[in-house]
Amino acid sequence: MKLFDCTFPTPAANLAADEVLLDLCEEQDVEVLRFWESATPFVVVGYGNKIATEVNMAACEAHGVPVLRRCSGGGTVVQGPGCLNYQVTLRVGEASELATVTGTNRFVMERIRAALETQLGRRITIEGCTDLALHEGDQLLKFSGNAQRRRRNSLLFHGTILYAFELTLISELLNAPSKQPDYRASRQHGSFVTNASASTEELKASLISAWNAHETLSDAPITAIDEMTRKRYSTR
């Protein structure tokens, strides 16, 4: 697996890069671990989410926070400084644990869970479908949400890790989610999410080791990312 630690200047370009790297895996069998972190806040909805339902548009417009849609499923999240994004693109074998959505969730999430639990020195569990939660007394606090997008021969699995994020932005910019995992127990955003106590360098190092991604991606598909940004992710 190759390593691509690269943040593009705009939210649209960063989302486009995830999809282009999926194309690269599908067409050339190149598996990549990528990291990025937006310098400015924005809201991103899953491909099946309804913006009017999930997003407080009045607040976003008042604060000048853009709302974008990604290519994968999952719920709506707020991005920005202190929220590390990772993505892995993986080839799908005919008889592997990646052959199904459920199997992929279990395989990828367990690898990430184990790496972060070792790094943080705290108990972490997989909750809902693809959340990672820290155990805080008798409470489970979400610090990572994840989603996937599948092609015939490859898949994209990506997610967020909150480590120094301004958590009040979530309550300000998002409505209560239309779909909630049982472990949330109807809690408001402020009492449901938390930051993991680690630096971005520590988080990256743990995932690089977990995926054995020590060789940098050469010849990154920058032209394709620019084109994808212009034709899709920068459009309304």
Side-chain angles (χ1 to χ4, degrees), residues 58 79 87 93 149 164:
Q79 300 268 9
Q87 68 114 89
R149 171 73 181 269

Side-chain angles (χ1 to χ4, degrees), residues 69-123:
R69 188 180 299 277
R70 63 180 181 270
C71 69
S72 62
T76 300
V77 297
V78 185
Q79 300 268 9
C83 175
L84 176 66
N85 287 264
Y86 80 91
Q87 68 114 89
V88 289
T89 48
L90 298 167
R91 297 188 296 269
V92 178
E94 291 184 0
S96 76
E97 52 275 281
L98 303 178
T100 65
V101 171
T102 301
T104 298
N105 286 342
R106 183 168 55 246
F107 173 79
V108 178
M109 292 298 301
E110 176 54 31
R111 181 173 294 199
I112 294 171
R113 184 208 66 78
L116 294 180
E117 186 173 76
T118 298
Q119 177 64 58
L120 298 175
R122 296 180 60 185
R123 186 183 177 198

Side-chain angles (χ1 to χ4, degrees), residues 18-35:
D18 275 3
E19 186 168 357
V20 169
L21 290 175
L22 174 59
D23 293 340
L24 183 68
C25 189
E26 180 73 9
E27 296 164 7
Q28 300 183 32
D29 291 337
V30 178
E31 296 181 316
V32 176
L33 168 66
R34 177 186 174 224
F35 298 114

Side-chain angles (χ1 to χ4, degrees), residues 126-151:
I126 302 169
E127 302 294 336
C129 293
T130 54
D131 289 353
L132 289 178
L134 287 165
H135 287 239
E136 189 74 46
D138 59 353
Q139 285 194 318
L140 293 170
L141 299 178
K142 176 181 176 179
F143 72 98
S144 174
N146 304 270
Q148 64 175 288
R149 171 73 181 269
R150 304 182 68 87
R151 297 278 173 80

Side-chain angles (χ1 to χ4, degrees), residues 120-188:
L120 298 175
R122 296 180 60 185
R123 186 183 177 198
I124 297 173
T125 52
I126 302 169
E127 302 294 336
C129 293
T130 54
D131 289 353
L132 289 178
L134 287 165
H135 287 239
E136 189 74 46
D138 59 353
Q139 285 194 318
L140 293 170
L141 299 178
K142 176 181 176 179
F143 72 98
S144 174
N146 304 270
Q148 64 175 288
R149 171 73 181 269
R150 304 182 68 87
R151 297 278 173 80
R152 178 181 295 273
N153 300 306
S154 61
L155 64 90
L156 161 70
F157 200 101
H158 58 183
T160 57
I161 302 173
L162 302 176
Y163 72 95
F165 191 67
E166 180 52 66
L167 299 177
T168 58
L169 285 175
I170 302 173
S171 298
E172 292 175 11
L173 301 177
L174 301 186
N175 299 326
S178 57
K179 295 182 179 180
Q180 301 186 16
D182 291 341
Y183 85 100
R184 180 167 182 146
S186 300
R187 284 177 285 172
Q188 298 296 314

Side-chain angles (χ1 to χ4, degrees), residues 203-216:
L203 294 171
K204 288 178 182 180
S206 65
L207 296 187
I208 288 170
S209 178
W211 293 101
N212 194 27
H214 299 286
E215 182 179 345
T216 300

